[in-house]
Every structure is written in C-alpha cells, then in structure tokens.
Amino acid sequence: MVLSPLDDYPIHQAAQVMRHVATSDRNFYDRYYFNCHAGTDELMLIVGLGQYPNLGVTDAFACVRHQDLHRVVRASRELGVDRLDTEIGPFRVEVIEGLKRLRVVLEPNEHGLSFDLTWEGTIPATLEPRHFVRWQERVVFDSVRLAQTGRWSGTITVGEQELAITPDRWQGTRDRSWGVRPVGEPEPPGIQAKNAGTFYWLYAPMSFGDHAILCVIQEDERGRRVLEAATRVWSDGREEEYLGRPEYRPVYAPGTRDVVEATITFSPPGGKPFDVHCTPVLPVHLMAGTGYGLEPGWKHGMYQGEGPVVQGVTYTLPKDVGRMWGMVDAVGRFEYGGLTGHGLFEYWALGPHPSFPT
C-alpha cells in the first residue's frame, strides 16, 4: 500500500488507505458536475471531473453551447497516489469552503475554451436518495449524490470572446456523486444483453431565489419508479420540505423524443398539489464529446495512457445535428405560483416506456 496526504486526516471508513475504496467493483467513481448559464439561450457551460480508483484513471471535460457552437475540451491521466490532486492537464477543481464555495479552472489551451470560475451555493448542499439498480442480478447503480443551486463569478473565454461572469446574472447547479455506475471500457455484455435498454429520466434542480426545488425521476420499461425525489430547499437553512411523489408529463416534438415543454406536478403531504411548468431554453447534448457513452474511444474512466492527454472536439449546429442525441442538459425555465426560476432541465427517453406508443 502507498500512503497519500489524505491518510493524515482521521476520516478513514475502512481498513484501507484512503486511495483505496471499500469495494473492488471496477465501476466505482467519484465525480464533480457543474453547469453555468444566465437563464437565457446565450450560453451554457457544463464541466465534469471524475476519479475512478479501481481503473487507475482520472478525467475531466468542459462543454460549451454558444450560438451554433458545441465545443468540448477533455483531458485524462493516470490517477496516481494522491486523490487530493484534481489537476488534469489544464483542468482543476479547488474546494475553497466545503459544501459552499469551489473554484473550477480550465487554463488557456489550443482548443478555444477556457475559464476561471468561482461557485457559491445559494442553498445548503442537499443529499438525494440513494440510487440503486440491479439488472440481471448484477448491481449496476449504487451511488449517492448531493445537489446544490448557486451563483458564479469569474470569466469564460470562447474563441476570441471573453465573457465577464458576475453573480447577478450567472447561475447554475452542481452535484457531487460517488459510488458504482457503468464507466470505462465496455465489458462483455453476457446476460446483461437481455436488458430492455430503457433509461427514462428527468433531473430538474431549479432555483427561485430564496428557495430551490430539487426533482429527480427514473422509471423502467414498465413505468415503475427506480428513483424519485422531490424537495423544496430554502436558502435560509430552514428544514427542507418533502413534496410527495412527482408526476412528469413531457410534450415531445413531433416524431422525436425531444422535449419542447413539460409539467411536473408536486403533491406535498397535507398540502395543496401544484404544477411547475418547464421549458427547455438552450439544449446541450451531453453525450457528444464529453465521455458520457457514445464515442468508443473516449468514455469516462477509459484509460488513455499515462497522460495528461488533452483533446478538443467542436461541432456546429445544425450541420452536425445527427451526432446530437441521447441525454440532454438544457437551461430550463420553471414557472409556478407566479414565480419564475431557472435551473437544469436534464432528460433522456431511451427505449420502451408506457408513455410511448408501441
């Protein structure tokens, strides 16, 4: 065993050094996710950085949607012994104040996207329910995630244009998740090939100034709930409110599974049901270039060599629209009770589901 700086802190959870996790599952991961936008169709930036201890890899990506541009910078290296070291080529994440303030950096590079941004949460970081899925006897998801809405300050440079990012305009959501989910090079499918392949998903953390609503829904091919959460979280730290079972009714563009609007109904126990109307404002197709699964040569946790290996990928819309399918992370506008808020509207409707005609 090799020690790392974390081992000097009294935080161990197992009879292991901190660089070793308590499961040998190859798919264990530990990841940051951030997005940044102004609640408009001007720009959306998405950033992710993950560690895969049992694969010996750490990687990062940044994806910007700006006008007709979909630009990605991504980097990978061997994880090494120090899990406190988040630097991956030009990327790094710095925790300034745990669960409150973080700095996210992509240094200037040859691929035309860079930034230096500071995040400050506007609600307490909130733990979501455990995500557990077993398919054909194998555990494929077993993870936890915290979510938070917040504001940004700093700069973003796209090509030759530098944008001043100020907290009066620029907001977003972030999450931190860790556990088991499919990552890295594909494995022989075996009996898993019998799975229906459904991924019916909604993730909608939304901010309304003095409070946020955090909503997540996942259903299987029969419409059964795999995961759900619905809470209202207040900026002043008062106790979060459970909003009951959320019901999601998307409207798709004809002939597609692209959501043009949606309604989420919340039914808080002992309270009055209410609807939130959702409108995707600026879609970002998360699976194009970022490592979320479509490209055989670059997936999260895939070994790219000692590194750091740094790449850039640029697509132009609508010319490259054929590449743009799968999970969508959109700037979302959310309206209820006379309030208008913004946040992340993330959805995917893959495979059979009762809401689709057969």
Side-chain angles (χ1 to χ4, degrees), residues 6 22 60 96 104 108 140 143 172 189 205 286 297 305 319 337:
L6 270 173
I96 300 171
V104 186
V140 291
S143 61
L286 193 61
K319 179 173 68 71

Side-chain angles (χ1 to χ4, degrees), residues 21 29 55 57 63 102 166 219 235-236 315 331:
V21 296
Y29 79 106
L55 299 176
V57 172
C63 173
L102 295 93
T166 55
E219 295 180 353
S235 299
D236 60 12
Y315 301 122
V331 177

Side-chain angles (χ1 to χ4, degrees), residues 2 9 15 46 71 81 88 90 110 145 162 191 203 215 233 271 281 289 311 334 340:
V2 178
Y9 295 86
I46 299 172
R71 175 166 291 169
V81 300
I88 310 168
E110 62 181 311
R145 178 169 59 185
E162 181 176 285
I191 197 172
Y203 183 52
C215 176
V233 183
V281 175
Q311 297 180 357
F334 301 94
T340 298

Side-chain angles (χ1 to χ4, degrees), residues 61-115:
F61 74 88
C63 173
V64 68
R65 171 74 192 274
H66 181 50
Q67 299 172 351
D68 63 351
L69 185 73
H70 177 104
R71 175 166 291 169
V72 177
V73 181
R74 57 198 188 191
S76 174
R77 65 167 171 83
E78 292 183 358
L79 179 57
V81 300
D82 185 3
R83 292 188 60 193
L84 284 174
D85 180 8
T86 65
E87 187 170 309
I88 310 168
F91 288 93
R92 69 181 183 275
V93 173
E94 302 171 8
V95 178
I96 300 171
E97 181 182 351
L99 304 181
K100 183 66 176 178
R101 297 179 65 230
L102 295 93
R103 184 181 178 207
V104 186
V105 178
L106 173 58
E107 298 285 2
N109 57 81
E110 62 181 311
H111 302 296
L113 173 62
S114 61
F115 48 81

Side-chain angles (χ1 to χ4, degrees), residues 312-326:
V313 180
T314 299
Y315 301 122
T316 303
L317 299 175
K319 179 173 68 71
D320 293 321
V321 72
R323 299 177 181 269
M324 304 297 166
W325 67 280

